[in-house]
Amino acid sequence: MKSPIKNYLSITKREWNGMVVLIVLIALIFAAPYVYQLFRKDNIINTKDFNAAVAMLDKAKKSQAGDSQTSTDEQPDSKAVFCKKAAPGVVIELNSADSVSLTSLHGIGASFARRIISYRNRLGGFYNEEQLREVFGMDSIKYADLQAQIKVDPSLIKKIKVNKVTFDNLSHFPYLSYKQMNAIIQFREQHGEYESLADMKNIAILDDKTLNKIKPYIAFK
């Protein structure tokens, strides 16, 4: 009679064969990476051919860039066409000039021309050339360069009908503060229409300096 331990450890022939197969499979699994590396051959890059291909690609890019530049050089410069400067002696009238005319002035570009027109629209027009100095960015040097190229026709000013104007319509005018605008409207509503600039002197917050500035822009009829 076999002892319990020996009986526990004993295996059948079928179990033994299964164990051998399992061990072989495990061994193959562990050995597979090494076998793969042994038989695998890495592709070697031919650096000479690679460098030649890179050189050809660079040459093609340079050739394309050169053709593009040639095409650009053959076309007329649109900025040069639209920003052609006025000939010496030509004078531009500020109240009727459009942006193209203004950019023909020496020292005035498209952005500055738009700024001049915007300020002119807020005013209603210029009554003298000196007002151009009130445009943002216009310094004394730039104005001195422009002075001989510009003139002003005061008859083109769009005047403010002070007896009919509303606060909203007056609000864009740069020579008056909001308090002064409101005072003009309120005084008219309380005392009736203005007949002359002398009537506006009764408004406490309108000093003589302000009245002289707005005088060319005020119409009473």
Side-chain angles (χ1 to χ4, degrees), residues 176-188:
L176 294 172
S177 68
Y178 275 22
K179 287 184 177 180
Q180 290 171 330
M181 295 174 194
N182 187 59
I184 290 172
I185 302 298
Q186 293 299 322
F187 190 90
R188 185 187 69 196

Side-chain angles (χ1 to χ4, degrees), residues 87-106:
V90 174
V91 179
I92 302 297
E93 200 286 310
L94 291 180
N95 286 332
S96 58
D98 57 15
S99 59
V100 176
S101 298
L102 290 172
T103 52
S104 72
L105 295 170
H106 293 275

Side-chain angles (χ1 to χ4, degrees), residues 121-141:
N121 291 340
R122 290 180 63 198
L123 279 172
F126 300 103
Y127 63 81
N128 65 45
E129 294 84 356
E130 284 281 336
Q131 287 178 285
L132 197 61
R133 300 184 64 176
E134 298 169 9
V135 177
F136 178 76
M138 180 66 70
D139 55 28
S140 58
I141 296 175

